[in-house]
Amino acid sequence: MTEPSRKRPRPTDPAAPEGCPHTRLPSGATKKDDEFWFDDGNLIIVAQDVEFCVYKGPLVKHSPVFRDMLTLPQPAEAGELGHRPVVSVPEHPTSFRHFLREFMAGSGFQLPGDEPVFEVVCAVIRLGHKYEVDRIVEKGLGYLKKQWLDNYSGWSFQANLAYARYWANPHIAERCISVVNIARLTDTPSLLRPALFECCTIDPQDLLKGHQREDGVCERLTAEDVTRVLLARTELVKLDALTALRIFRNTSGECYDYHNCTHAFQDAISELTESPSPSRMFSADPKRPSWFDCASKTDGPSFCDACLMEIRRKENEERSEMWNMLPSILDIPEPPRPEFW
Ligand SMILES: [Zn+2]
């Protein structure tokens, strides 16, 4: 499924510093970059306090923004340093270094066999978008789309991985804030459902604090998306409660221990409605232990295998249905229907 065209006009990255590239001599103290200073380079780019001496050709060839900047007549204040033109950009040097690697080293965010680094991927997408280098924007978005899958089976698998990653680093969940903003910036709707849904799992206080990027920018959702997430979160908790009540309503038609299972179902409902333990609180978070897991490890009367299988089947069915309702719950466009051949 192809995404809609993301050609101009390009919205500005709301989290990026203000300013546009322009040519001028650097002011104040700057230092040469250790990685991108080629003695025979023919262009100096100053990103904040770091100077990069690189080759103009690849930038002019692939970036219409740099092409215009470096080939059109420059204002009187444009400068040269050692007979090389000097361009100042407002980007953080770390982010700009990631971007340059895509041009000068062929791969900014993935070495063979390596897992791409999330912060690098996002920086390259943001700058690729700003400087209109579609090739590297598509490459970065391709990685994000593999991590934030917009289909139920893929998402369900990734949610399990996210659960494992979450315990290694709880702050990893806040990365989805950056993914939502990149989806908005690049007009990539297929990232919206999985990333906004993940935002619903973040504690609202942490959501408002935002995601601290490596370039120092604290990235937050727009006010519209914060509202969207908080409203959806309430709706998802309600759906989770209804799901649990439906799952624990009846024994399976295949039940072979009806008396014991009837008690088990009654106990489950009593616990949910009267004194829920922390692991059985209704939640918008799919990383919370499943109702099937709770039923398998109950301290009270145990369920027979037939009833356990029925609990699992119903839960999968309810979760799949919830996934299909997400565009409506999140108030985002419905994804296009799959194409059948
Ligand atoms: Zn049973």
Side-chain angles (χ1 to χ4, degrees), residues 75-137:
E77 69 270 23
E80 289 190 344
L81 203 60
H83 305 294
R84 300 177 179 116
V86 177
V87 173
S88 287
V89 294
E91 272 65 54
H92 189 281
T94 302
S95 301
F96 201 71
R97 195 175 296 114
H98 297 323
F99 177 69
L100 282 179
R101 280 196 199 110
E102 281 299 313
F103 285 98
M104 309 298 165
S107 179
F109 58 77
Q110 189 170 23
L111 297 173
D114 279 357
E115 180 74 6
V117 177
F118 177 82
E119 295 283 354
V120 179
V121 171
C122 292
V124 166
I125 293 173
R126 286 187 203 100
L127 294 194
H129 176 82
K130 177 174 178 179
Y131 293 106
E132 301 182 4
V133 190
D134 292 345
R135 176 178 59 86
I136 65 174
V137 174

Side-chain angles (χ1 to χ4, degrees), residues 86-329:
V86 177
V87 173
S88 287
V89 294
E91 272 65 54
H92 189 281
T94 302
S95 301
F96 201 71
R97 195 175 296 114
H98 297 323
F99 177 69
L100 282 179
R101 280 196 199 110
E102 281 299 313
F103 285 98
M104 309 298 165
S107 179
F109 58 77
Q110 189 170 23
L111 297 173
D114 279 357
E115 180 74 6
V117 177
F118 177 82
E119 295 283 354
V120 179
V121 171
C122 292
V124 166
I125 293 173
R126 286 187 203 100
L127 294 194
H129 176 82
K130 177 174 178 179
Y131 293 106
E132 301 182 4
V133 190
D134 292 345
R135 176 178 59 86
I136 65 174
V137 174
E138 293 297 338
K139 183 180 169 187
L141 288 175
Y143 166 72
L144 293 185
K145 287 176 187 174
K146 284 182 191 165
Q147 300 293 311
W148 279 268
L149 292 159
D150 193 28
N151 63 71
Y152 175 69
S153 57
W155 166 82
S156 195
F157 175 69
Q158 285 292 356
N160 289 333
L161 291 181
Y163 177 65
R165 289 190 305 228
Y166 176 80
W167 292 110
N169 180 0
H171 298 294
I172 206 163
E174 288 141 30
R175 290 178 172 185
C176 54
I177 294 172
S178 290
V179 179
V180 171
N181 287 341
I182 281 178
R184 298 291 188 197
L185 178 72
T186 60
D187 190 17
T188 310
S190 67
L191 287 173
L192 279 179
R193 170 164 52 178
L196 279 169
F197 181 34
E198 197 170 337
C199 286
C200 294
T201 70
I202 301 176
D203 181 273
Q205 288 185 328
D206 292 334
L207 183 74
L208 293 174
K209 279 184 200 159
H211 173 232
Q212 189 73 37
R213 293 185 345 203
E214 67 169 357
D215 61 6
V217 172
C218 186
E219 189 164 6
R220 296 184 177 87
L221 294 180
T222 62
E224 289 80 8
D225 277 333
V226 167
T227 306
R228 181 173 275 112
V229 166
L230 294 180
L231 289 174
R233 184 185 169 91
T234 305
E235 188 64 24
L236 289 170
V237 172
K238 192 165 75 181
L239 277 180
D240 190 46
L242 291 173
T243 293
L245 293 176
R246 282 194 284 262
I247 285 173
F248 292 116
R249 187 166 50 191
N250 292 317
T251 54
S252 160
E254 308 293 318
C255 177
Y256 54 78
D257 192 357
Y258 183 78
H259 180 74
N260 198 46
C261 282
T262 300
H263 279 296
F265 277 95
Q266 286 172 347
D267 277 8
I269 292 287
S270 296
E271 187 174 353
L272 288 173
T273 53
E274 289 164 22
S275 56
S277 61
S279 66
R280 297 187 181 203
M281 297 290 279
F282 303 127
S283 165
D285 191 347
K287 297 190 291 297
R288 181 215 55 201
S290 68
W291 295 120
F292 169 76
D293 286 338
C294 292
S296 305
K297 298 167 188 164
T298 178
D299 295 330
S302 56
F303 297 88
C304 76
D305 286 346
C307 284
L308 277 178
M309 289 307 103
E310 182 66 1
I311 288 169
R312 177 144 73 179
R313 187 193 67 76
K314 282 181 182 171
E315 184 165 27
N316 283 336
E317 193 176 270
E318 294 272 349
R319 280 165 67 96
S320 174
E321 180 65 19
M322 179 275 300
W323 174 263
N324 291 332
M325 291 165 66
L326 276 174
S328 163
I329 294 170

Side-chain angles (χ1 to χ4, degrees), residues 16-28:
E18 289 296 322
C20 294
H22 58 284
T23 54
R24 63 170 173 76
L25 281 170
S27 60

